[in-house]
Amino acid sequence: MTGHTQNEITIAAPLDLVWEMTNDLENWPRLFTEYASVEVLSREGHRTTFRLTMHPDENGTVWSWVSEREPDRDTLTVRARRVETGPFAHMNIHWQYEEVPGGTRMVWTQDFAMKPEAPVDDAWMTDNINRNSKVQMGLIRDRIEKAAAERGATPGLTD
């Protein structure tokens, strides 16, 4: 079995601002509540390799891993994958952005499989990612909409 999640949210902000803020890796600890730090390890073209470190979980465990992320502004997509997979056999992530009436739709799709020796299975992780993605997307929406209001930036469709 493998895990698959897809979550989306519409943010009442211009596409350029949503793209800029969600692809500013160094700012992720201020955008996501789950990340304590981001360390950029290398940049090659549009591809960035980086280490994400989470805040300690309820047991005091600090999770950290290395990922690669490659945004493509022309297609309004981002492809990412875990390089250090930890308990995952693999983890591939696809972000998609679309200008819609009233703002920008952002879609996160994650395809993964847990290793047989992982402490949780694919079904548990699917539920966990779905639950957490909704929380993080809501917080990100609120932060970007606040930034848009402060900048006087309003969403709108372009031709």
Side-chain angles (χ1 to χ4, degrees):
M1 184 179 154
T2 59
H4 172 83
T5 66
Q6 185 166 314
N7 291 279
E8 68 178 71
I9 195 162
T10 298
I11 302 169
L15 175 73
D16 287 342
L17 181 62
V18 175
W19 178 268
E20 171 194 323
M21 289 183 69
T22 58
N23 286 291
D24 178 2
L25 292 175
E26 289 86 351
N27 193 49
W28 276 14
R30 289 175 293 285
L31 192 61
F32 292 81
T33 58
E34 61 190 344
Y35 300 140
S37 67
V38 175
E39 176 189 1
V40 173
L41 304 174
S42 68
R43 292 188 195 273
E44 186 176 317
H46 293 289
R47 181 181 307 129
T48 304
T49 303
F50 58 100
R51 175 171 295 285
L52 273 176
T53 302
M54 297 183 79
H55 293 288
D57 67 15
E58 62 278 357
N59 300 317
T61 303
V62 175
W63 298 94
S64 181
W65 63 90
V66 173
S67 288
E68 284 182 350
R69 181 176 174 82
E70 188 164 1
D72 183 337
R73 185 67 169 88
D74 292 338
T75 63
L76 299 175
T77 60
V78 178
R79 296 223 177 259
R81 69 179 185 91
R82 282 195 183 198
V83 177
E84 289 179 3
T85 58
F88 294 92
H90 70 272
M91 167 62 87
N92 298 310
I93 304 167
H94 180 252
W95 287 23
Q96 186 170 344
Y97 302 78
E98 178 184 8
E99 200 166 24
V100 296
T104 304
R105 184 169 73 109
M106 182 173 66
V107 181
W108 293 350
T109 304
Q110 293 173 276
D111 290 297
F112 60 91
M114 304 307 295
K115 291 179 180 173
E117 66 273 15
V120 299
D121 63 13
D122 293 339
W124 186 94
M125 188 55 74
T126 298
D127 289 342
N128 185 63
I129 290 171
N130 279 328
R131 192 171 37 257
N132 191 54
S133 291
K134 287 173 180 52
V135 170
Q136 293 302 314
M137 287 179 129
L139 293 166
I140 289 167
R141 176 200 59 218
D142 294 349
R143 289 175 176 158
I144 293 173
E145 288 178 355
K146 181 175 188 252
E150 289 170 355
R151 296 177 188 189
T154 57
L157 292 174
T158 57
D159 293 327

